[in-house]
Amino acid sequence: MNGVVFTEYGVLPYALLPRSPLIVGTTRLEKRLGAIVSVKVKTDTNSFVVHSDLAPLQGFSEDGLQEGLDALGRALPRWLDHELPLIDLRKGLSELWEAFVDVEPDLNALSWCMFALCVQTHSRVRGLRPAEILGGKTQNASVEEVGLERLADAYPGDAVAPKLKFHSEADLSRILEIAGNRSIRLDSNGIFSAADVVRIAKTLPLEKIVYWEEPTRDSDAITALRALGIRVAKDESLLSADWEEQICDAYVVKPTVLGWKKTDAVLRKAKANNMELAISTAYESSIGRAFLRELALSLGPNTTLGLGPKDLFSNDINIDEIADAI
């Protein structure tokens, strides 16, 4: 056998409880829904189980959890007991593995889940960590997303630039206080109007702003911000069909939301243009966030990682407890 065979699979739905409500755009989530997909893999000499996270983000992703589960139930049985060749993922997916990853069009979270299964299968067979299978291993900074009320505790003198949600002018004085002598990242989820965003920008300490993520939906206002010296990052806008035409300075990539194919396209464009990247959580389980860390580690020093606090959920998934789930 010169490849691998998937012999069986299992699905473990979850409902994770955040210690504080999750901020998704301008809404608050009290519960994070998803499912762990586990697949048993057989080689000539060994068998093992790999796990991945199916976690479309409620209120943000274009696809839903039940859609993904239904498609998974149609797709994975077709791959059981068929030998799949091992490939060099650093050169891209083969046609066969691409068909495995892209189960059905428009199901982005499922495509990312399947990609993670593919990568982890190859890494286990070769005895390498996923970051090495994806292209390398580089130490990156970690940037937690925390509310303003937690910042003083979370970042006492920390050199890492925190990311702050900025949805109201009422937050401005607190943000300026927090900035102090440190750099910060702002995220406004496109909430400000063109007139407001330019006026607010003139009150910000420009030298402290690493970038302002999705400050407004108005393209002319974004041009004006960049003329003032504020770097702009794109996150939600990457879901749009014209994302490549939108001018910005950095990409904040949520692979779980974008899916494998668009994530790959964004990463390639960022690399070609030497743009700053942030790999960002969509509040996945510990299994999903661990794979995002591996992706970030593979991308080089121009990449930062935003996974949120380690204790994000009170009942997060323990990989040791599900290791033999199938």
Side-chain angles (χ1 to χ4, degrees), residues 41-305:
V41 183
K42 183 177 71 173
T43 69
D44 275 334
T45 59
N46 192 15
S47 67
F48 53 86
V49 177
V50 292
H51 306 280
S52 186
D53 201 350
L54 175 57
L57 180 56
Q58 305 114 274
F60 195 101
S61 292
E62 296 178 328
D63 46 323
L65 178 59
Q66 193 58 52
E67 288 178 272
L69 290 171
D70 291 345
L72 185 74
R74 292 189 293 269
L76 260 181
R78 299 200 302 263
W79 293 98
L80 297 182
D81 301 321
H82 294 286
E83 186 173 345
L84 293 171
L86 290 173
I87 57 173
D88 185 351
L89 268 72
R90 291 170 296 185
K91 296 178 181 177
L93 294 180
S94 68
E95 186 175 332
L96 190 61
W97 278 102
E98 189 167 329
F100 174 81
V101 167
D102 282 329
V103 173
E104 291 186 20
D106 303 323
L107 294 181
N108 295 339
L110 181 56
S111 110
W112 188 250
C113 171
M114 300 292 275
F115 179 68
L117 290 173
C118 167
V119 172
Q120 290 175 92
T121 296
H122 283 72
S123 74
R124 286 289 297 272
V125 170
R126 292 186 165 97
L128 300 171
R129 63 183 297 174
E132 294 169 302
I133 289 291
L134 287 167
K137 187 169 65 174
T138 304
Q139 185 65 41
N140 294 278
S142 180
V143 180
E144 293 181 356
E145 281 192 46
V146 296
L148 296 180
E149 69 280 359
R150 290 187 57 195
L151 190 78
D153 294 331
Y155 291 95
D158 199 325
V160 174
K163 176 175 167 179
L164 306 178
K165 295 289 187 179
F166 180 23
H167 291 153
S168 165
E169 288 190 63
D171 296 334
L172 186 56
S173 60
R174 179 72 174 124
I175 284 173
L176 296 176
E177 177 187 345
I178 288 167
N181 294 322
R182 78 179 89 200
S183 296
I184 57 174
R185 293 169 168 84
L186 301 178
D187 182 8
S188 295
N189 300 106
I191 200 167
F192 291 112
S193 69
D196 286 344
V197 79
V198 174
R199 175 175 51 79
I200 292 169
K202 293 177 180 177
T203 69
L204 293 173
L206 301 186
E207 71 283 359
K208 301 285 196 307
I209 310 300
V210 176
Y211 54 65
W212 194 349
E213 181 182 330
E214 299 287 357
T216 179
R217 301 294 183 210
D218 188 281
S219 58
D220 290 337
I222 287 176
T223 299
L225 290 181
R226 296 177 77 240
L228 288 171
I230 292 183
R231 301 173 74 249
V232 172
K234 293 290 185 178
D235 178 359
E236 296 96 314
S237 298
L238 294 175
L239 283 167
S240 65
D242 67 344
W243 69 273
E244 290 189 88
E245 301 167 20
Q246 300 179 23
I247 297 173
C248 66
D249 305 286
Y251 289 134
V252 178
V253 181
K254 289 182 171 66
T256 301
V257 172
L258 296 180
W260 164 73
K261 190 162 285 186
K262 181 164 276 189
T263 294
D264 184 63
V266 173
L267 298 183
R268 288 177 184 277
K269 182 175 180 184
K271 182 177 181 180
N273 293 278
N274 198 32
M275 295 174 67
E276 183 176 347
L277 276 169
I279 300 300
S280 177
T281 182
Y283 303 121
E284 301 86 354
S285 74
S286 60
I287 290 173
R289 300 199 309 278
F291 186 67
L292 291 180
R293 180 179 295 278
E294 294 297 312
L295 173 69
L297 290 173
S298 75
L299 293 174
N302 226 20
T303 307
T304 54
L305 175 63

